Amino acid sequence: MNKLKLILILIVVFCTANFGFAQVGINTTTPLSTLDINGNLSVKTITLTGSSSATLINDGVYISVNPQATDQEFQLPSPITYPGRVYMIRNINNTITAKLTTAAANFFFKGLTSGGVNSIYMYDNHYRTLLIVSDGSNWTVFEY
Protein backbone atom coordinates (compact mmCIF):
# COMPACT_ATOMS: atom_id res chain seq x y z
CA MET A 1 0.00 0.00 0.00
CA ASN A 2 2.88 2.40 0.78
CA LYS A 3 4.39 1.80 -2.67
CA LEU A 4 1.07 2.65 -4.29
CA LYS A 5 0.84 5.90 -2.30
CA LEU A 6 4.40 6.79 -3.24
CA ILE A 7 3.76 6.14 -6.93
CA LEU A 8 0.58 8.25 -6.86
CA ILE A 9 2.38 11.09 -5.09
CA LEU A 10 5.21 10.99 -7.65
CA ILE A 11 2.74 11.03 -10.56
CA VAL A 12 0.93 14.04 -9.09
CA VAL A 13 4.21 15.88 -8.47
CA PHE A 14 5.53 15.23 -11.98
CA CYS A 15 2.23 16.18 -13.62
CA THR A 16 1.82 19.43 -11.70
CA ALA A 17 5.48 20.40 -12.15
CA ASN A 18 5.07 20.01 -15.89
CA PHE A 19 2.14 22.45 -16.00
CA GLY A 20 4.33 25.21 -14.53
CA PHE A 21 6.31 25.28 -17.78
CA ALA A 22 3.38 24.80 -20.15
CA GLN A 23 3.05 26.69 -23.39
CA VAL A 24 -0.31 27.30 -25.00
CA GLY A 25 -0.72 27.36 -28.74
CA ILE A 26 -3.73 28.65 -30.59
CA ASN A 27 -3.86 27.31 -34.14
CA THR A 28 -0.38 25.82 -33.73
CA THR A 29 0.80 22.43 -32.47
CA THR A 30 4.28 23.67 -31.49
CA PRO A 31 3.97 26.87 -29.43
CA LEU A 32 7.25 28.75 -29.07
CA SER A 33 6.12 31.17 -26.33
CA THR A 34 3.95 31.00 -23.22
CA LEU A 35 1.08 32.07 -25.49
CA ASP A 36 1.65 31.52 -29.20
CA ILE A 37 -1.15 32.68 -31.52
CA ASN A 38 -1.02 31.69 -35.17
CA GLY A 39 -3.71 34.00 -36.50
CA ASN A 40 -5.40 37.30 -35.68
CA LEU A 41 -5.88 38.76 -32.23
CA SER A 42 -8.80 40.96 -31.25
CA VAL A 43 -8.83 43.10 -28.13
CA LYS A 44 -11.66 44.85 -26.33
CA THR A 45 -12.36 48.32 -27.70
CA ILE A 46 -14.42 50.96 -25.93
CA THR A 47 -15.33 54.63 -26.37
CA LEU A 48 -15.37 56.90 -23.34
CA THR A 49 -17.26 60.19 -23.49
CA GLY A 50 -16.02 62.84 -21.07
CA SER A 51 -18.02 63.91 -18.05
CA SER A 52 -17.88 66.72 -15.50
CA SER A 53 -15.42 64.78 -13.30
CA ALA A 54 -12.41 62.68 -14.32
CA THR A 55 -13.50 59.76 -16.50
CA LEU A 56 -11.79 56.61 -15.23
CA ILE A 57 -10.15 54.27 -17.71
CA ASN A 58 -10.52 50.83 -16.16
CA ASP A 59 -11.61 48.55 -18.99
CA GLY A 60 -10.61 47.74 -22.53
CA VAL A 61 -7.34 47.82 -24.42
CA TYR A 62 -8.06 50.12 -27.38
CA ILE A 63 -9.76 53.18 -25.96
CA SER A 64 -11.25 56.05 -27.92
CA VAL A 65 -11.68 59.13 -25.75
CA ASN A 66 -14.21 61.73 -26.79
CA PRO A 67 -13.88 64.90 -24.68
CA GLN A 68 -16.93 67.17 -24.54
CA ALA A 69 -15.07 70.19 -23.12
CA THR A 70 -11.50 71.50 -23.46
CA ASP A 71 -8.95 69.63 -21.32
CA GLN A 72 -11.52 67.14 -20.12
CA GLU A 73 -9.75 64.59 -17.91
CA PHE A 74 -9.44 60.86 -18.57
CA GLN A 75 -7.62 59.00 -15.79
CA LEU A 76 -5.61 55.78 -15.99
CA PRO A 77 -5.36 53.56 -12.91
CA SER A 78 -2.15 53.30 -10.91
CA PRO A 79 0.65 51.55 -12.86
CA ILE A 80 1.75 50.03 -9.54
CA THR A 81 -1.55 48.16 -9.22
CA TYR A 82 -1.46 46.89 -12.82
CA PRO A 83 2.13 46.05 -13.89
CA GLY A 84 2.35 45.05 -17.54
CA ARG A 85 -1.04 46.51 -18.49
CA VAL A 86 -1.19 48.02 -21.98
CA TYR A 87 -3.56 50.68 -23.36
CA MET A 88 -3.85 52.20 -26.82
CA ILE A 89 -5.60 55.55 -26.38
CA ARG A 90 -6.85 57.82 -29.17
CA ASN A 91 -8.56 61.19 -28.95
CA ILE A 92 -11.32 60.88 -31.55
CA ASN A 93 -12.51 64.47 -31.18
CA ASN A 94 -10.99 66.67 -33.91
CA THR A 95 -11.46 69.97 -32.09
CA ILE A 96 -11.26 69.40 -28.32
CA THR A 97 -8.21 68.55 -26.23
CA ALA A 98 -8.30 65.56 -23.86
CA LYS A 99 -6.22 65.58 -20.69
CA LEU A 100 -4.77 62.18 -19.76
CA THR A 101 -3.80 61.67 -16.11
CA THR A 102 -2.99 58.76 -13.83
CA ALA A 103 -4.12 57.85 -10.32
CA ALA A 104 -0.48 57.53 -9.23
CA ALA A 105 3.09 57.91 -10.51
CA ASN A 106 4.07 59.61 -13.80
CA PHE A 107 4.21 59.25 -17.55
CA PHE A 108 7.63 58.79 -19.13
CA PHE A 109 8.04 59.04 -22.88
CA LYS A 110 9.95 56.18 -24.51
CA GLY A 111 13.69 56.37 -23.85
CA LEU A 112 13.49 58.84 -20.95
CA THR A 113 14.44 57.98 -17.38
CA SER A 114 13.86 61.45 -15.95
CA GLY A 115 11.47 64.27 -16.67
CA GLY A 116 8.26 62.34 -16.06
CA VAL A 117 4.99 64.26 -16.30
CA ASN A 118 1.72 63.77 -14.42
CA SER A 119 -0.55 64.67 -17.34
CA ILE A 120 -0.55 64.59 -21.14
CA TYR A 121 -2.72 66.76 -23.38
CA MET A 122 -3.98 64.91 -26.44
CA TYR A 123 -5.16 67.01 -29.35
CA ASP A 124 -5.50 66.98 -33.14
CA ASN A 125 -1.89 67.24 -34.31
CA HIS A 126 -0.04 66.32 -31.11
CA TYR A 127 -0.30 63.05 -29.16
CA ARG A 128 -3.40 61.99 -31.09
CA THR A 129 -2.76 58.28 -30.45
CA LEU A 130 -0.65 56.90 -27.61
CA LEU A 131 0.45 53.40 -26.62
CA ILE A 132 0.88 53.33 -22.83
CA VAL A 133 2.48 50.46 -20.88
CA SER A 134 2.81 50.01 -17.11
CA ASP A 135 6.28 49.01 -15.93
CA GLY A 136 4.97 48.47 -12.40
CA SER A 137 6.13 51.90 -11.24
CA ASN A 138 5.17 54.40 -13.96
CA TRP A 139 3.54 54.53 -17.37
CA THR A 140 5.79 54.38 -20.43
CA VAL A 141 4.37 56.35 -23.37
CA PHE A 142 4.90 55.67 -27.08
CA GLU A 143 3.56 58.27 -29.53
CA TYR A 144 2.02 57.29 -32.87
Side-chain angles (χ1 to χ4, degrees), residues 46-50 55-57 62-68 72-76 88-94 96-100 122-123 127-129:
I46 62 170
T47 299
L48 296 174
T49 301
T55 302
L56 300 178
I57 298 173
Y62 186 93
I63 298 154
S64 299
V65 295
N66 187 10
Q68 302 300 296
Q72 201 152 49
E73 184 178 351
F74 295 86
Q75 185 179 68
L76 289 172
M88 172 94 41
I89 302 174
R90 179 172 176 80
N91 181 356
I92 60 172
N93 193 309
N94 289 325
I96 301 176
T97 302
K99 179 181 179 182
L100 185 63
M122 302 174 67
Y123 52 95
Y127 306 138
R128 179 64 175 234
T129 302

Side-chain angles (χ1 to χ4, degrees), residues 5 7 23 31 33 46 56 63 73 76-77 86-87 94-95 98 113 119 132 142 144:
K5 283 183 183 178
I7 290 172
Q23 294 174 317
S33 297
I46 62 170
L56 300 178
I63 298 154
E73 184 178 351
L76 289 172
V86 177
Y87 291 106
N94 289 325
T95 58
T113 56
S119 60
I132 301 175
F142 303 85
Y144 291 93

Side-chain angles (χ1 to χ4, degrees), residues 18-38:
N18 216 10
F19 286 117
F21 302 103
Q23 294 174 317
V24 176
I26 298 175
N27 204 24
T28 179
T29 57
T30 54
L32 302 175
S33 297
T34 303
L35 176 60
D36 192 342
I37 301 171
N38 182 12

